Amino acid sequence: MANNMREIKSRIKSINQMRQITKAMKLISASKLKKARTQLEETLPYFNKVRETIADILAHSAEVESKFFDIREEKEGKKKAYIVMTGDKGLAGGYNSNILKLTEREIGDNKENALLLVAGTTGRSYFTRKEYHVHTEFDYAVQNPTVFRAREITETILDLYNKQEVDEVYIVYTQMISAISLEPKVLKLLPIEIGALREDVKANEIVLDQKFKYEPSEQEVLDVLIPKYIKGIMYGTFVEAFTSEQNARMTAMDNATKNADEMLQKLNLYYNRARQAAITQEISEIVGGASALK
């Protein structure tokens, strides 16, 4: 009986320690999520203005063109690059597995012509094991998305695209729809679809009814702004992926804490029963010993 009580007490202590860890991890994830969202909101006015200016030039200047708008000719074995945003660690429910499965579905039978740029050690390990072509790893970006790091990744992508080493570029990431809803998504980054850009401007109720004069020229301004526009998309999707991971981890840790609470409740019940049985047995032995003395 005593051994059984010690075992139960030891398990209660272990679960209590685990419960404290899961609660702490939930608080850390909540803090990281809030910080990342705040940083994104601070940069949105700048990137929104870049997007609006590009849309304004396209709306009023039919003659401008860009290599980033060119839809390259259809050909067999088109090279496609995928920027895949996974996490650096687990403990986040199905966050990583959902992104990995979506990426594989998108690649399909085009594995030989798929070039991967992976953020997060989870994705790198998975795709290396599956013998995909992992061109670049951005492990540093996934746990601390910043505009500076988004620029570095953008420059890598633009270099590949400009050298025609890839024909199309996609971002595979997770969007946090709400606190209880995460959605893995695929976003086409290059070439930029003008129609989609205009629809985006329309959806955000941006009014393009004023003709500006651009110096030195509309074409040159456009050439400068488009890489900034791509950088803005890159940063926004990295923040979305990061906050989605933190939200998934918060949910997982919350569930783990609840499970620990249920286990503690059961173990405490078992312990109290065992303790009561031990007390009852001790009283019975005392009574029995007293009776024998008579």
Side-chain angles (χ1 to χ4, degrees), residues 87-226:
D88 268 342
K89 53 187 176 181
L91 302 176
Y95 172 80
N96 287 308
S97 62
N98 290 338
I99 281 294
L100 297 173
K101 290 176 183 176
L102 176 59
T103 304
E104 287 195 295
R105 286 199 300 270
E106 285 296 314
I107 294 173
D109 297 328
N110 196 39
K111 185 175 180 178
E112 291 183 0
N113 295 305
L115 184 149
L116 297 177
L117 298 96
V118 183
T121 55
T122 302
R124 180 196 62 198
S125 300
Y126 180 85
F127 289 117
T128 300
R129 189 170 65 251
K130 291 267 190 164
E131 298 183 345
Y132 282 87
H133 179 197
V134 179
H135 179 275
T136 311
E137 302 163 13
F138 299 118
D139 293 342
Y140 58 84
V142 69
Q143 288 302 322
N144 186 20
T146 64
V147 174
F148 174 76
R149 288 171 173 173
R151 184 180 68 189
E152 288 186 315
I153 298 168
T154 300
E155 289 172 353
T156 301
I157 284 296
L158 293 181
D159 184 58
L160 290 169
Y161 187 79
N162 291 334
K163 290 178 180 178
Q164 298 192 5
E165 293 182 28
V166 296
D167 300 303
E168 296 176 357
V169 181
Y170 297 84
I171 302 176
V172 190
Y173 71 106
T174 305
Q175 183 178 11
M176 191 173 79
I177 307 299
S178 68
I180 59 173
S181 177
L182 305 178
E183 183 179 346
K185 285 193 168 187
V186 179
L187 174 67
K188 188 175 183 179
L189 187 65
L190 288 169
I192 297 172
E193 297 181 351
I194 298 177
L197 176 60
R198 286 173 175 159
E199 284 298 317
D200 179 44
V201 170
K202 183 179 178 181
N204 285 278
E205 299 180 349
I206 299 170
V207 180
L208 304 174
D209 58 358
Q210 183 176 356
K211 180 71 167 108
F212 294 95
K213 180 175 177 59
Y214 295 97
E215 295 290 347
S217 71
E218 292 172 334
Q219 183 65 61
E220 289 176 274
V221 171
L222 191 66
D223 291 341
V224 171
L225 289 181
I226 288 177

Side-chain angles (χ1 to χ4, degrees), residues 33 35 59 120 193 205 269 281 283:
L33 189 156
K35 179 182 177 182
E193 297 181 351
E205 299 180 349
L269 180 61
Q281 182 180 351
I283 292 173

Side-chain angles (χ1 to χ4, degrees), residues 36-69:
R37 282 291 182 187
T38 301
Q39 290 175 336
L40 178 61
E41 288 172 4
E42 290 172 351
T43 60
L44 278 178
Y46 167 76
F47 289 120
N48 285 341
K49 182 55 67 176
V50 169
R51 181 186 59 185
E52 292 172 24
T53 305
I54 293 173
D56 181 77
I57 292 174
L58 294 176
H60 298 105
S61 307
E63 68 276 7
V64 295
E65 57 185 28
S66 171
K67 58 189 174 184
F68 300 118
F69 297 152

